[in-house]
Amino acid sequence: MTVLVTGAGGQIGRAALRSLGDRGVGLGRADLDVTDADAVMAAVAAHRPALILHAAAWTDVDGAESDREGATRANVDAVRHVARAARAHGARLVTLSTDFVFDGRKREPYVESDPTGPLSLYGETKLRGEEAALEEHPEGTWVVRTAWVYDEAGTNFPRLIMRLAETRDVLRVVTDQVGSPTYAGHLAPLLVELPEQVPPGIRHIAGAGAATRREWAEAVLAAAGRDVAVEGATSDEFPTPARRPAYSALASEHPDTPVLPDWRSGVEACMAGFIP
Ligand SMILES: NC(=O)c1ccc[n+]([C@@H]2O[C@H](COP(=O)([O-])OP(=O)(O)OC[C@H]3O[C@@H](n4cnc5c(N)ncnc54)[C@H](OP(=O)(O)O)[C@@H]3O)[C@@H](O)[C@H]2O)c1
């Protein structure tokens, strides 16, 4: 069975292709611009995948605030193109969404049926992307909401912390954002198996448990054997264009949803293969 992976150069795309081996066909941005409807249809026609893992997206949360059109093209229109092509060619679709579809006012993990209320344009476009995929291909779409994704390479929080630790003795990291750090190496293999395991629809899959950003940073430094102090800070000290939910840990209300290892095991697994 061929699995077509869009966004092949991104964190989840790369991790998925590592686990797929010969079954995976990866298309990076240079191979396929997912905002081009005709190109998407042609790529799916050419590769005839049984499953599409749609991992391409606009993931620059702050950048989305100043480019609504660009973020909408990538996170709403492109998902529709991919879902339409999947349905036309009889492929199943697994597409990614985010904890940022929630407003962060809850104080226990968000489950699939919780009301959404994105605070940012990124979150809003991802939510509309979910709706587009489920509308275009309801019988064959699995929307996986995940959170705080990181991998050995790429632009992510653990790599930022490791970079800052090169030059500082003390780091200040916020304690007023709580989420579910998710190691791409743990998540990606589950994504491609999901359609065999559960009915179509929305599923929450993220590193088990919840952490503040400070706890996450401390776990990264400990796993890397770095003796750097981490002090607590508040988000007000680091203003950003996009608002982020104060609390966005994820859990599934469906007992058949696969569960990832605890978020701390993800940090340890990632840091064991960390690429400086
Ligand atoms: N990262 C997180 O914390 C997080 C959390 C929750 C959900 N998610 C979701 O998980 C999915 C994958 O995230 P990720 O962490 O793997 O992101 P990533 O590392 O930023 O990868 C996204 C990939 O999509 C590519 N891309 C962007 N626009 C494209 C276009 N028009 N055509 C083709 N490719 C395009 C990017 O290419 P360029 O590098 O050239 O732009 C990049 O390689 C996304 O749907 C994201 O919303 C991520």
Side-chain angles (χ1 to χ4, degrees):
M1 148 178 125
T2 299
V3 180
L4 185 67
V5 179
T6 69
Q11 302 190 97
I12 291 179
R14 285 194 312 267
L17 287 162
R18 280 200 302 271
S19 75
L20 281 165
D22 292 347
R23 289 189 299 155
V25 174
L27 299 179
R29 187 196 274 272
D31 312 305
L32 175 64
D33 177 351
V34 292
T35 64
D36 180 339
D38 293 340
V40 169
M41 193 63 86
V44 175
H47 293 286
R48 292 260 161 203
L51 173 68
I52 302 172
L53 173 58
H54 180 50
W58 177 302
T59 55
D60 176 359
V61 176
D62 289 316
E65 295 296 318
S66 53
D67 191 352
R68 173 185 281 272
E69 271 185 30
T72 302
R73 267 198 306 276
N75 290 349
V76 186
D77 303 342
V79 184
R80 187 177 292 284
H81 304 329
V82 173
R84 201 170 276 170
R87 195 189 58 203
H89 292 283
R92 291 165 155 186
L93 169 65
V94 173
T95 185
L96 276 304
S97 189
T98 170
D99 53 329
F100 283 16
V101 300
F102 296 112
D103 68 11
R105 282 188 295 176
K106 213 176 159 189
R107 285 297 172 268
E108 59 188 64
Y110 280 94
V111 296
E112 289 86 347
S113 61
D114 279 324
T116 53
L119 301 175
S120 62
L121 228 139
Y122 167 75
E124 185 190 314
T125 58
K126 293 297 294 182
L127 181 60
R128 288 175 54 208
E130 292 182 0
E131 291 160 0
L134 291 166
E135 195 180 290
E136 287 294 336
H137 192 23
E139 309 296 319
T141 292
W142 286 256
V143 173
V144 175
R145 291 190 187 135
T146 190
W148 294 19
V149 176
Y150 61 96
D151 199 22
E152 285 85 351
T155 305
N156 58 47
F157 181 79
R159 287 171 60 79
L160 170 67
I161 292 300
M162 290 298 287
R163 202 165 60 243
L164 294 175
E166 292 295 323
T167 54
R168 299 184 195 181
D169 297 328
V170 181
L171 302 185
R172 291 182 60 71
V173 182
V174 302
T175 53
D176 57 3
Q177 286 176 32
V178 176
S180 301
T182 304
Y183 173 42
H186 282 165
L187 173 67
L190 283 189
L191 296 175
V192 291
E193 304 304 334
L194 193 66
E196 296 298 327
Q197 297 170 342
V198 305
I202 298 176
R203 296 285 169 151
H204 287 186
I205 307 182
T212 65
R213 288 216 179 246
R214 180 191 182 176
E215 288 168 327
W216 189 12
E218 286 171 336
V220 166
L221 293 167
R226 295 299 306 266
D227 189 16
V228 176
V230 183
E231 287 178 355
T234 60
S235 299
D236 302 350
E237 293 176 45
F238 304 99
T240 53
R243 281 177 69 205
R244 287 160 170 76
Y247 183 99
S248 60
L250 298 179
S252 181
E253 64 200 348
H254 305 294
D256 59 352
T257 305
V259 177
L260 290 189
D262 176 77
W263 70 268
R264 286 181 188 277
S265 329
V267 169
E268 280 156 22
C270 178
M271 296 314 291
F274 186 73
I275 302 165

